[in-house]
Amino acid sequence: MTQTAADAPSLWAPAIRLRRKAMLQRIVMGAATALVFSPILGWRFSATWLAIYTLIQFLEAEVFAPVIHGKITEPKGWRGVYGDVVLILNAGFFGLMAVPLWIVGGAMGGVAASVLLSAGMINSVIMSAGSMRVFACTALPQLAIFALTPLFMAQMGASPSIVTAVSVAILSYTVFCLNTRRHLFRANRAETEALIEADRKRAEAEAAMASRSAFLAAVAHDLRTPISAILTGADELDRGAKPASARQQVALITDAGLMMKDLLDDLLDHARLDAGRMSVDNRDFDLRLLLSQTARLWAGPVRAKGLRLRMEGARTLPQMVRGDAMRLRQVLNNLISNAMKFTDQGAITLRLQSWPDEHGAHVLLINIEDTGPGMTSEQLRRLFTPFDQTAEGVAERYGGSGLGLAISRDLVELMGGRLTVRSAPGQGASFTLSLVLPRGAAIEAPPASLAPEARITITRALVQAAPPPRAPLPEAAPQSEPDAVSQAEIEATPAEQDPGGEAVLRILVVDDHAINRRAIQLILQSIDCEIAMAEDGLAALEACARAPFDVVFMDVRMPELDGRETTRRLRASGGINAAVPVIAVTADTAPEDIAACTAAGMNYFVSKPLTPGSLLGALSQVLNEAAVAAESAAA
């Protein structure tokens, strides 16, 4: 493999940068050389030589400064010629030390000169990094001085046979240096090609990852709509189902919808973690409350399976800590769910430990132990491999995607902790979650969410606090099908009054998908409210300009004008709904997505797929906040 003209520029700049890195090494070697040969050449000569040699090093650094900073990659114009001259001067001046060694030191000085020149040439070959131009400017001047060795030997009376032998040795050494340079060139070229190929593959992988993430996000957004409809429809059927068989069928539909929701959430979390887009929050939260709520959540399902759920050591834990409560809860739910899935009898135990570290933070250990069948060493080895539970028929028997444990491990590591497991056949499994959580500050307890039966009372109080009476919402023309909505059209149910003659809560539902609008409408029909609908952001702004609302449910992803921009325009309008509470309805629940909703002026969010509990819980939250604000303003 020979160096072509196209290769020269690509090798020249790396060789110059390599020489710049070795500048201090050259100065140190020059000082050592001057010190060693000073008894032969004298201190004054050695000091002068070292001063000039050091000055040349700084001159080279100044000439090639643009190359070092990446401004120049090819030796063009006067700077290229000037750089060549400086390289020749640098190498030649080092090699010239051999001449006074021959003259002053005689034959023994000549031996020292030969060692000095051979070392300098090898260093020049290495520092050229395969660049023929740098090699010619640094190695050849020393080689020319080295070629004078036979002449010095002949002048000092060496026999012709010795002179001939030395000449052949110098020629052989020259060939060796050229071969070494060629090998370095090949190695550098192979490395460059490997780096280019690696960059190409990395770019392809990143593009594929981005494409897959975008695909999953789009599919997830679309899938959440029918899942919301399934869960909402099942809830409506459950209200009217009287026979036990009908309730069993409704429960089957609900369980299937929730399973689809969990699988979808796992797939999206796995995609975010794989793409490096997942982040963790860092807020104060009540650790004891989180663990208590988690235990209560699983108490019913565990008891229904005939198992026992125990928690030990809760009193030793700190109360307020700082971290990501949502992700910690997700990990605990995954681990408890996994333990319950593989345990047929016995108990699931949460053993809790905590102690302060040297920085005042809390070290937290949570062991989730089960009395299941345990695992073999081979099963433990691939336990955290995504989708691996499809092996050995695990998915067919227990269900799931095989992502829960992999996601849990990645989330724990993202929070700066570790998730480990111990198990043996017939001895159950013990998952250990270790985290270091900083101390948290005490925070005020949020307003307690209301039970459904109390929600009407808050609605009445909120409406009574509103000063002027308002015009009724515009009614849509009758339609043959309730889900058929024309462009920019507003749907509204007839204005309702409660038995006491008081105005009911007015809610605007904004979503580009008719199924989502109908799902929200079905859920809200369980409370005393008046519902208007808009199918896009522009229609929502028109509706808000005509009539006041108490709450707006705003879909985030919509064509033309998305929910965030719609909210920003609504806040900036100064109209009758400029301060109305806006609840974001979104499938994107990453912290950065929620932060973007908050920055746009949204007050709260509810994630898709929608469930009656999550939607009514969000409504209850904003109603509580609005009622408290109204009371404060009245006081």
Side-chain angles (χ1 to χ4, degrees):
M1 183 184 295
T2 58
Q3 182 172 332
T4 63
D7 295 322
S10 64
L11 295 173
W12 178 78
I16 296 299
R17 297 190 186 102
L18 185 60
R19 286 186 57 82
R20 176 62 179 85
K21 292 178 181 179
M23 174 180 169
L24 181 60
Q25 175 187 341
R26 290 197 300 274
I27 294 176
V28 171
M29 290 301 298
T33 300
L35 180 63
V36 169
F37 295 139
S38 60
I40 302 175
L41 303 176
W43 291 102
R44 182 175 299 178
F45 177 88
S46 298
T48 304
W49 178 90
L50 177 60
I52 298 174
Y53 182 71
T54 303
L55 182 62
I56 293 174
Q57 306 310 311
F58 285 101
L59 178 61
E60 178 180 329
E62 176 65 24
V63 170
F64 291 118
V67 182
I68 305 303
H69 295 103
K71 299 179 180 178
I72 296 176
T73 58
E74 299 181 19
K76 293 182 179 179
W78 67 269
R79 189 177 292 274
V81 176
Y82 188 22
D84 292 344
V85 171
V86 172
L87 290 177
I88 294 171
L89 176 63
N90 196 335
F93 189 78
F94 182 83
L96 282 176
M97 174 68 82
V99 175
L101 285 174
W102 273 105
I103 295 173
V104 178
M108 292 299 100
V111 172
S114 298
V115 174
L116 178 68
L117 287 169
S118 60
M121 289 177 61
I122 286 294
N123 182 71
S124 297
V125 170
I126 295 174
M127 290 295 108
S128 68
S131 170
M132 177 60 78
R133 183 165 183 162
V134 177
F135 171 79
C137 291
T138 57
L140 294 184
Q142 298 181 81
L143 178 61
I145 297 172
F146 201 12
L148 298 176
T149 300
L151 298 179
F152 284 114
M153 292 178 65
Q155 188 178 9
M156 293 183 179
S159 64
S161 59
I162 295 296
V163 172
T164 302
V166 171
S167 300
V168 172
I170 293 175
L171 179 61
S172 300
Y173 186 73
T174 303
V175 173
F176 166 77
C177 289
L178 291 171
N179 286 334
T180 302
R181 189 217 65 82
R182 187 172 70 253
H183 288 309
L184 284 174
F185 162 68
R186 289 178 175 177
N188 278 277
R189 181 169 182 174
E191 181 181 0
T192 302
E193 292 176 349
L195 288 174
I196 294 174
E197 179 67 12
D199 288 341
R200 184 185 64 80
K201 290 184 177 180
R202 178 181 55 80
E204 290 178 355
E206 290 176 350
M209 190 69 67
S211 177
R212 187 178 73 171
S213 298
F215 172 75
L216 283 175
V219 170
H221 186 268
D222 293 339
L223 284 178
R224 290 178 187 273
T225 295
I227 293 175
S228 298
I230 291 171
L231 293 174
T232 304
D235 185 71
E236 286 296 311
L237 289 174
D238 186 57
R239 293 180 186 178
K242 294 183 179 180
S245 60
R247 287 187 174 276
Q248 290 177 356
Q249 297 297 327
V250 171
L252 181 64
I253 297 174
T254 301
D255 290 344
L258 291 174
M259 183 182 296
M260 291 172 64
K261 177 181 179 296
D262 291 341
L263 290 173
L264 184 60
D265 289 340
D266 282 349
L267 285 171
L268 286 176
D269 282 346
H270 176 67
R272 291 192 187 105
L273 286 165
D274 207 24
R277 292 185 59 246
M278 182 73 77
S279 60
V280 293
D281 204 354
N282 193 29
R283 297 184 181 181
D284 296 334
F285 68 94
D286 191 329
L287 177 61
R288 292 184 183 179
L289 179 62
L290 183 148
L291 289 168
S292 175
Q293 291 174 341
T294 302
R296 286 200 300 268
L297 173 68
W298 287 99
V302 169
R303 188 167 51 249
K305 194 175 179 181
L307 304 174
R308 300 185 308 278
L309 180 62
R310 300 185 298 190
M311 183 183 294
E312 301 177 0
R315 293 183 179 180
T316 65
L317 298 183
Q319 183 171 1
M320 300 306 301
V321 295
R322 190 168 183 82
D324 195 324
M326 182 182 72
R327 296 303 179 190
L328 179 57
R329 190 191 305 270
Q330 180 180 351
V331 171
L332 292 174
N333 286 336
N334 279 341
L335 295 177
I336 297 174
S337 172
N338 185 76
M340 191 178 75
K341 180 165 59 175
F342 291 98
T343 304
D344 294 328
Q345 57 183 359
I348 299 171
T349 304
L350 276 68
R351 302 187 191 277
L352 312 173
Q353 290 180 275
S354 179
W355 62 88
D357 67 1
E358 62 273 15
H359 303 294
H362 298 286
V363 179
L364 176 65
L365 285 184
I366 302 178
N367 288 306
I368 294 92
E369 303 173 358
D370 63 56
T371 55
M375 289 174 281
T376 64
S377 57
E378 175 63 22
Q379 289 172 325
L380 287 174
R381 186 184 61 82
R382 64 172 193 262
L383 183 63
F384 294 103
T385 303
F387 306 104
D388 189 71
Q389 77 160 351
T390 53
E392 300 181 2
V394 175
E396 289 80 353
R397 181 179 178 186
Y398 297 102
S401 62
L403 287 173
L405 290 179
I407 291 172
S408 298
R409 180 199 57 188
D410 292 343
L411 286 176
V412 171
E413 291 179 353
L414 205 59
M415 291 187 285
R418 290 186 61 195
L419 180 62
T420 57
V421 59
R422 302 187 310 275
S423 183
Q427 298 181 15
S430 176
F431 288 84
T432 301
L433 166 62
S434 59
L435 278 176
V436 177
L437 300 175
R439 295 180 183 273
I443 55 177
E444 296 182 2
S449 56
L450 299 180
E453 57 268 22
R455 200 167 282 112
I456 298 299
T457 304
I458 285 195
T459 302
R460 293 174 180 171
L462 180 62
V463 173
Q464 288 173 352
R470 296 159 302 182
L473 292 171
E475 297 187 12
Q479 299 178 5
S480 57
E481 294 182 10
D483 288 347
V485 184
S486 61
Q487 180 69 23
E489 183 181 14
I490 306 296
E491 299 181 87
T493 58
E496 298 180 357
Q497 297 277 334
D498 67 15
E502 299 168 344
V504 297
L505 185 71
R506 297 186 176 190
I507 300 176
L508 175 63
V509 178
V510 187
D511 200 297
D512 63 314
H513 207 296
I515 292 179
N516 281 334
R517 296 197 298 273
R518 289 290 297 153
I520 297 176
Q521 183 182 33
L522 285 173
I523 296 173
L524 295 178
Q525 283 177 353
S526 63
I527 63 175
D528 190 11
C529 66
E530 181 178 317
I531 306 169
M533 297 190 185
E535 67 175 9
D536 57 41
L538 294 176
L541 292 174
E542 292 177 3
C544 289
R546 291 197 297 265
F549 295 96
D550 297 302
V551 178
V552 176
F553 283 96
M554 182 77 70
D555 185 27
V556 173
R557 287 195 183 188
M558 293 187 294
E560 296 185 14
L561 196 64
D562 64 27
R564 293 168 185 162
E565 180 60 27
T566 302
T567 304
R568 279 191 284 266
R569 295 189 185 185
L570 178 63
R571 297 298 187 219
S573 67
I576 53 178
N577 288 295
V580 65
V582 177
I583 300 175
V585 182
T586 176
D588 302 320
T589 57
E592 59 269 22
D593 297 314
I594 302 305
C597 291
T598 303
M602 296 176 164
N603 303 83
Y604 206 71
F605 81 96
V606 59
S607 63
K608 295 180 179 180
L610 299 174
T611 62
S614 63
L615 191 76
L616 294 177
L619 180 60
S620 174
Q621 180 71 24
V622 297
L623 290 178
N624 273 305
E625 294 175 355
V628 171
E631 290 176 1
S632 301

